[in-house]
Amino acid sequence: MKLPRWLCEVLLVLLGLTSVVLPQSAIAQIYWIEAPEFAPPNTGGVPEFGDLDADGDYDLIYAIVLHSYRNVGSPTLPSWLRDDSLVEGVDYVNSMTTCLADLDADGDLDLSVGMLYGEAYPLFYYENVGSATQPVWQQQNSMYESLSPGSWTCPELADLDDDGDLDLVLAVYWGLRAYRNTGTPQVPSWTRDDSFVDGVSLAHACSDPNLADLDDDGDLDIVLGSTYGDSPIVCFENIGTAQTPEWNENGDLLTDVPMSVGSWGLDLEDLDADGDIDLLVIRGNGPKVYLNLGSVTPVEPSSWGRIKALFRQP
């Protein structure tokens, strides 16, 4: 069982490793440490995590160029083995982007694919007609036929109104759209509702939106990267609610992550199974993984193993 954050901070103080950080009134501040041992091979860009073999850890898809890596390590320490069978049957689209989510609520992950040049609809959809342990992809583009066309598209699926189904945030060229799921978890229906992203500004024409609860307050925050490498990372904290997001730019959510360096995509997931969200960024010099330390004063890397031993289940 994960220890409460306040107890973690007290234990760190007793060990002489850090001092307590008092709660801040409205501004969250999360600290990070780079963890090279978690980084996947440098063979692509625009990453997407998902458990594609139902073994309890996160596997990885690189959209540019289309490769997949099976995690043959553990939920607490990944080890990456290239296995392109995880994306077999997905047609390569130039400079595409990917998003994994269970869009038909059948217990396995489906795949949404963005593209450089929009067609009649801005996304391809591949239903997983295989299983949770071995995906088999079947193109079913009726999923997104109601969406307006767009180019340089990058999708992100998450429950933005806390109603139990997945909504869609879609980056297009110099734009950000949002679609409320007015259908069901099994059969989505998309109704455009840009109020979901009011107040989120883009730093690059080709953005990579990522949604996760960075500050552990029960609602989703947004981190924006670039799919083409020459844009800083931008972070927006949700200072509204899980049902009605309200966005405030807040770089303190990514303290100690170099945000001014351009990225070739990023993704957010709990890579060490400690209950908080970690970060993978593809840099020009390769993938970088940053582990989330939570709202505590950072310590020397030599103390990291001692701290993780306190708070991680064996």
Side-chain angles (χ1 to χ4, degrees):
M1 181 177 66
K2 184 186 177 187
L3 295 176
R5 180 166 290 162
W6 67 267
L7 182 54
C8 295
E9 294 176 359
V10 170
L11 288 172
L12 289 174
V13 173
L14 293 175
L15 288 170
L17 294 174
T18 188
S19 58
V20 171
V21 176
L22 295 177
Q24 300 181 44
S25 57
I27 301 177
Q29 190 170 38
I30 313 298
Y31 293 97
W32 304 76
I33 188 170
E34 187 177 349
E37 68 274 21
F38 282 70
N42 185 22
T43 60
V46 192
E48 178 71 7
F49 288 115
D51 187 357
L52 287 168
D53 52 10
D55 65 349
D57 55 36
Y58 291 105
D59 308 298
L60 174 67
I61 293 176
Y62 278 133
I64 308 172
V65 177
L66 186 62
H67 293 314
S68 55
Y69 285 85
R70 194 183 297 270
N71 183 356
V72 294
S74 69
T76 57
L77 182 60
S79 178
W80 307 105
L81 176 67
R82 183 166 166 183
D83 182 356
D84 289 343
S85 71
L86 296 174
V87 289
E88 186 176 348
V90 179
D91 294 331
Y92 180 74
V93 181
N94 187 34
S95 298
M96 69 180 183
T97 59
T98 56
C99 181
L100 288 164
D102 186 0
L103 269 174
D104 50 10
D106 65 349
D108 55 39
L109 293 173
D110 308 298
L111 182 63
S112 300
V113 177
M115 65 195 80
L116 177 61
Y117 301 110
E119 299 184 5
Y121 30 76
L123 298 172
F124 292 134
Y125 173 65
Y126 288 87
E127 181 184 357
N128 183 358
V129 297
S131 67
T133 58
Q134 182 59 55
V136 176
W137 306 111
Q138 184 175 92
Q139 194 168 342
Q140 302 279 7
N141 287 333
S142 60
M143 173 65 72
Y144 294 120
E145 64 184 359
S146 65
L147 273 58
S148 303
S151 59
W152 300 82
T153 56
C154 188
E156 176 75 345
L157 290 154
D159 188 357
L160 276 168
D161 52 7
D162 198 31
D163 66 349
D165 56 35
L166 293 171
D167 309 297
L168 171 66
V169 172
L170 182 64
V172 297
Y173 190 75
W174 274 126
L176 200 61
R177 304 173 183 170
Y179 294 86
R180 188 185 298 269
N181 183 356
T182 52
T184 67
Q186 295 77 24
V187 184
S189 179
W190 309 110
T191 300
R192 186 160 174 178
D193 184 353
D194 289 346
S195 69
F196 275 151
V197 290
D198 279 350
V200 178
S201 57
L202 303 182
H204 192 269
C206 306
S207 291
D208 175 17
N210 296 267
L211 288 157
D213 186 0
L214 289 179
D215 51 5
D216 197 26
D217 65 350
D219 55 40
L220 296 172
D221 309 297
I222 290 183
V223 180
L224 291 168
S226 165
T227 59
Y228 287 91
D230 56 353
S231 171
I233 297 171
V234 185
C235 184
F236 291 84
E237 181 185 1
N238 182 1
I239 58 173
T241 67
Q243 297 77 32
T244 307
E246 180 182 348
W247 307 109
N248 177 57
E249 187 173 348
N250 183 6
D252 284 342
L253 288 178
L254 293 175
T255 301
D256 297 323
V257 174
M259 297 178 66
S260 61
V261 182
S263 69
W264 292 83
L266 57 88
D267 201 22
L268 297 162
E269 206 57 82
D270 184 2
L271 292 178
D272 56 2
D274 67 346
D276 55 34
I277 296 297
D278 306 303
L279 171 67
L280 168 64
V281 182
I282 309 302
R283 305 288 195 189
N285 59 350
K288 306 292 183 184
V289 170
Y290 299 91
L291 298 181
N292 184 346
L293 298 180
S295 299
V296 296
T297 303
V299 299
E300 292 301 314
S302 59
S303 300
W304 176 238
R306 188 178 178 193
I307 295 172
K308 297 301 281 190
L310 286 172
F311 310 138
R312 186 187 291 164
Q313 280 288 96

